[in-house]
Amino acid sequence: MQVFFRPEVAEKVPSESDERESYVMPMPPPNVTGRLHMGHAMFVSLEDVLTRFHRMRGDRTLWLPGTDHAGIATQMLVERQLAAEGTSRQEVGREEFLRRVWEWKDEKGGAIVDQMRRLGASADWSREQFTLNEHMSAAVVEAFCRLHEKGAIFRGQRMVNWSPVLQTAVSDLEVEYSDVQGQLYYFKYVVAGEDGEAE
């Protein structure tokens, strides 16, 4: 079944014209740590419909699948494992921590891909990508550099969810909110009036 989802198959589909259009759609990469939710099911359904439509037209069609490394989420999960073992990423060192992250990704990171396959996503799974593959990382760095040079992205002052444990900003999804009864403070400033006198 897998071979039918490759673009080369279009050559075997009868067509009225000798010239075939190409249709390529990269899959928005879901997090490697995640599980399928309704949003994923919706995008898989819509993109699958578009992909199958173009295949039936005889177009050379590629729906390119992949997953995102979900760096902070993955780090959090591996750090929990280390804490359960009575150690930390600082104690094991960078190389060992990276080895453990890749090990975790290889063992447990494919659940969402398996779920998408069970949904019947007709992507060309033989070309599956991962955002930390060397050529993908190089493309991301290049894209960010170009966007920065054009002024499309920049550094700025922003409120973030800072994790003192992970020593980085985390997504709203990783934050546990709680209501706290607190105090509201305000300051009165002396402001000069029109005549230069304090009001």
Side-chain angles (χ1 to χ4, degrees), residues 25-45:
M25 180 169 39
M27 182 183 286
N31 287 349
V32 72
T33 59
R35 298 268 186 236
L36 213 59
H37 57 62
M38 289 302 291
H40 294 123
M42 186 177 78
F43 97 70
V44 167
S45 300

Side-chain angles (χ1 to χ4, degrees), residues 138-157:
V140 169
V141 170
E142 177 68 24
F144 272 91
C145 287
R146 287 185 188 183
L147 289 169
H148 185 267
E149 288 165 4
K150 292 179 180 178
I153 57 174
F154 54 89
R155 286 187 175 183
Q157 298 285 327

Side-chain angles (χ1 to χ4, degrees), residues 73-89 92 96-97 99-105 107-108:
T74 306
Q75 177 182 340
M76 220 166 50
L77 293 169
V78 174
E79 286 207 36
R80 281 184 194 154
Q81 279 183 343
L82 291 172
E85 296 169 11
T87 187
S88 69
R89 72 181 152 99
V92 299
E96 173 62 13
F97 182 71
R99 188 192 69 72
R100 296 284 293 264
V101 167
W102 280 102
E103 186 179 275
W104 184 94
K105 183 259 178 195
E107 285 177 14
K108 300 183 179 139

Side-chain angles (χ1 to χ4, degrees), residues 1-10 12 55 61 122-124:
M1 185 69 159
Q2 188 59 236
V3 295
F4 294 117
F5 300 152
R6 295 183 181 168
E8 299 81 14
V9 172
K12 297 175 181 152
R55 276 197 200 108
T61 305
S122 65
D124 184 353

Side-chain angles (χ1 to χ4, degrees), residues 16-17 64 104 131 162 177 181 195:
E16 294 176 7
S17 167
L64 184 66
W104 184 94
T131 51
W162 181 258
Y177 292 95
Q181 188 68 37
D195 57 359

Side-chain angles (χ1 to χ4, degrees), residues 25-188:
M25 180 169 39
M27 182 183 286
N31 287 349
V32 72
T33 59
R35 298 268 186 236
L36 213 59
H37 57 62
M38 289 302 291
H40 294 123
M42 186 177 78
F43 97 70
V44 167
S45 300
L46 293 173
E47 291 188 2
D48 194 55
V49 166
L50 290 168
T51 302
R52 290 174 190 264
F53 170 76
H54 282 276
R55 276 197 200 108
M56 290 191 309
R57 288 182 49 185
D59 297 341
R60 291 177 53 82
T61 305
L62 172 62
W63 183 16
L64 184 66
T67 50
D68 183 43
H69 63 280
I72 295 170
T74 306
Q75 177 182 340
M76 220 166 50
L77 293 169
V78 174
E79 286 207 36
R80 281 184 194 154
Q81 279 183 343
L82 291 172
E85 296 169 11
T87 187
S88 69
R89 72 181 152 99
Q90 290 83 2
E91 287 179 17
V92 299
R94 179 181 173 82
E95 292 305 315
E96 173 62 13
F97 182 71
L98 287 174
R99 188 192 69 72
R100 296 284 293 264
V101 167
W102 280 102
E103 186 179 275
W104 184 94
K105 183 259 178 195
D106 292 338
E107 285 177 14
K108 300 183 179 139
I112 198 161
V113 170
D114 292 340
Q115 290 174 321
M116 286 190 293
R117 285 177 166 210
R118 277 186 265 145
L119 266 183
S122 65
D124 184 353
W125 295 103
S126 68
R127 299 175 196 232
E128 185 180 346
Q129 297 295 318
F130 179 56
T131 51
L132 285 186
N133 290 348
E134 198 170 319
H135 65 283
M136 296 294 287
S137 291
V140 169
V141 170
E142 177 68 24
F144 272 91
C145 287
R146 287 185 188 183
L147 289 169
H148 185 267
E149 288 165 4
K150 292 179 180 178
I153 57 174
F154 54 89
R155 286 187 175 183
Q157 298 285 327
R158 300 286 183 272
M159 290 288 289
V160 296
N161 302 311
W162 181 258
S163 169
V165 175
L166 298 174
Q167 292 292 296
T168 188
V170 295
S171 150
D172 288 342
L173 298 173
E174 278 100 31
V175 174
E176 293 178 16
Y177 292 95
S178 61
D179 292 330
V180 176
Q181 188 68 37
Q183 301 290 328
L184 178 62
Y185 296 96
Y186 61 93
F187 298 91
K188 289 185 178 181

